[in-house]
Amino acid sequence: MIRVDRSSYAVERRSGVIRPIRAGADALERGPVAALSLAVQSVSCLHASAVATPQGVLAFVGQSGKGKSTLAAHLSRPRGRGTWPLISDDVLAVSLGEGLVLRDAFPDSDRAHSAERLPLRAIYVLRKWEREGIAVQALPQREAFLALSRHSVATRLLDAPLRRAHFEGCVSASRTVPVYELTYQRRISALDEIRTLLEASLTP
């Protein structure tokens, strides 16, 4: 068992099952604990918004206020040939080593093994500037690894073996999943332009 949050909960190391061990444990504490439960099951949590396309999941990470939720919500609206369903607007459960997104695995982490698994097509690190235009640049592996590590959830709760496994997953994902820097001006019309750009990137 791994005890967390002043012994409010315990996480079974083999199964990831969360058990309250203090009467009246605060439900708000469960989010980080659920991330720990998923880590026990070799699943990482990223601070990310994401949409599902026919070619795989597009995930968007970035500092607070960079527009992750706004962009994902805009991309999920019906347009043209179909919709890109919203997968997450806050926390995304990912098997980094396999490049798979676990749909609806968070925060009910006990369901991680049975959650729908979708391929992770690409990760975009959002940046904003005041100039016109949109720029997309592939990140080298080191910067991609740092971006994944920087936008991970609840790593402070991981013990040494889980932290090592998480960082190994980040290394693996930085090698196999394209990670881009997406820079754009904060305006509504830019969101349409980003959608067009992303559609083009998904075309075989």
Side-chain angles (χ1 to χ4, degrees), residues 13-168:
R13 183 174 286 278
R14 289 187 177 180
S15 66
V17 171
I18 301 171
R19 301 189 186 283
I21 55 176
R22 174 170 64 81
D26 188 346
L28 293 177
E29 296 177 346
R30 186 178 169 97
V33 180
L36 173 58
S37 171
L38 287 169
V40 170
Q41 302 172 71
S42 301
V43 177
S44 297
C45 290
L46 301 177
H47 278 299
S49 297
V51 294
T53 76
Q55 291 78 21
V57 173
L58 304 180
F60 306 97
V61 302
Q63 296 178 352
S64 178
K66 295 299 182 183
K68 299 185 297 294
S69 296
T70 300
L71 177 57
H74 183 82
L75 295 175
S76 68
R77 295 173 184 168
R79 171 178 156 173
R81 295 178 237 180
T83 61
W84 293 353
L86 184 68
I87 298 297
S88 166
D89 67 355
D90 184 29
V91 178
L92 187 68
V94 183
S95 177
L96 290 172
E98 299 175 292
L100 296 174
V101 169
L102 278 67
R103 187 174 190 174
D104 298 329
F106 188 91
D108 296 325
S109 55
D110 298 349
R111 297 165 44 200
H113 292 302
S114 61
E116 181 183 6
R117 293 169 183 259
L118 305 173
L120 180 59
R121 174 65 183 251
I123 299 170
Y124 293 85
V125 182
L126 300 188
R127 304 269 193 265
K128 289 186 177 177
W129 60 10
E130 296 305 319
R131 292 181 292 170
E132 292 288 333
I134 297 170
V136 178
Q137 180 177 358
L139 293 180
Q141 184 189 341
R142 182 177 181 278
E143 292 186 32
F145 165 77
L146 291 174
L148 294 174
S149 302
R150 189 175 297 121
H151 298 293
S152 297
V153 175
T155 52
R156 64 181 178 80
L157 295 180
L158 305 182
D159 60 15
L162 289 177
R163 192 177 300 114
R164 185 182 312 111
H166 171 70
F167 287 132
E168 288 173 353

